[in-house]
Amino acid sequence: MIITIDGPAGAGKSTVARALARRMGFRFLDTGAMYRAVALAARRRSMDWADAAALAELTRWLKIEVGESHVYLDGEDVTCEIRSLEITAVIHHVADNPAIREQLVRLQRGIGETGDFVTEGRDQGTVVFPHAECKFFLTASPQERAARRQKDLARRGEFVPIDEVLSQQNDRDRRDIERKVGGLIAADDAIEFVTDGLSSEQVVDRLELLAREKLVASR
Ligand code: DC
């Protein structure tokens, strides 16, 4: 069984997806981490962001492993490094590249065939797993998402004013929505869920209930 969780940045997808996977006895796949790992590899090589073909070619040779809580790039643990502001600022060069998306989508589908998964991203219910048994679309208001992101960054030692976080988030939202391939949109059969004012535990409680109903219905 595949459960997909899509939604904009800061909607709480990762925390919720990881917890839901644990409760269901499923594995967890963070697909954003894959795009981030490619961006990190390109940045380390000081690649030209305008050279879409070279970026796609680089992706072909990378070994990206995304585990439950760690991300490895060619065997090196890059879990923290891929979440930095620097990588977030350049990620669109990777996420907007259709040839890179094609490779990562293939990789994600291959992983999905190896067991029961909760997968998290922007295009999981629409492009990667259109036949997933259970699809969620998580959102929250821009203010709430920015506040969560600011806390996350502070935990990592990056202190950013809320206005700046909000303006970067607006940029990312626009790019996510306008992306021609794999753009952010709820699948027709996704259950939409607004997480404002709810703790992640409350969200997971609700999603678990819905997912278990779907599980029974699909077996
Ligand atoms: O969820 P995240 O912030 O770690 O994702 C990083 C970037 O990757 C984000 O800007 C959107 C992009 N992304 C994507 O295009 N498709 C996905 N399935 C996951 C993430």
Side-chain angles (χ1 to χ4, degrees), residues 42-89:
R43 198 173 184 287
R44 282 180 172 177
R45 289 164 178 78
S46 304
M47 289 185 65
D48 176 3
W49 293 116
D51 193 345
L55 291 170
E57 183 57 22
L58 166 72
T59 308
R60 235 175 282 287
W61 299 103
L62 297 176
K63 189 171 170 217
I64 299 168
E65 296 161 288
V66 180
E68 298 297 306
S69 55
H70 286 264
V71 183
Y72 297 90
L73 174 62
D74 291 329
E76 180 192 342
D77 187 344
V78 293
T79 313
C80 284
E81 213 176 328
I82 58 167
R83 309 240 161 254
S84 71
L85 281 176
E86 275 176 300
I87 294 302
T88 303

Side-chain angles (χ1 to χ4, degrees), residues 6-10 13-14 30-33 35-36 83 88 91-92 95-96 101 108 120-124 128 149 172 176 179 181-182:
D6 290 306
K13 299 186 301 292
S14 293
D30 173 358
T31 61
Y35 290 89
R36 288 176 178 276
R83 309 240 161 254
T88 303
I91 188 84
H92 61 277
D96 290 350
R101 296 199 75 87
Q108 291 158 22
E120 179 249 302
R122 304 292 189 285
D123 57 351
Q124 298 299 291
V128 186
R149 172 96 182 124
R172 289 180 75 198
D176 278 348
R179 184 168 301 121
V181 181

Side-chain angles (χ1 to χ4, degrees), residues 3-21 28-33 36 83 118-125 136-140 145 148-149 152 169 172-173 176 179 184-185 193 195 200 203-204 207:
I3 300 173
T4 61
I5 303 188
D6 290 306
K13 299 186 301 292
S14 293
T15 314
V16 164
R18 187 175 277 115
L20 181 63
F28 163 61
L29 179 64
D30 173 358
T31 61
R36 288 176 178 276
R83 309 240 161 254
V118 177
T119 77
E120 179 249 302
R122 304 292 189 285
D123 57 351
Q124 298 299 291
F136 295 113
F137 192 83
L138 285 198
T139 58
R145 292 192 283 125
R148 288 178 191 163
R149 172 96 182 124
D152 249 24
Q169 180 180 279
R172 289 180 75 198
D173 282 357
D176 278 348
R179 184 168 301 121
L184 177 66
I185 186 170
F193 209 86
T195 65
S200 48
V203 179
V204 179
L207 298 197

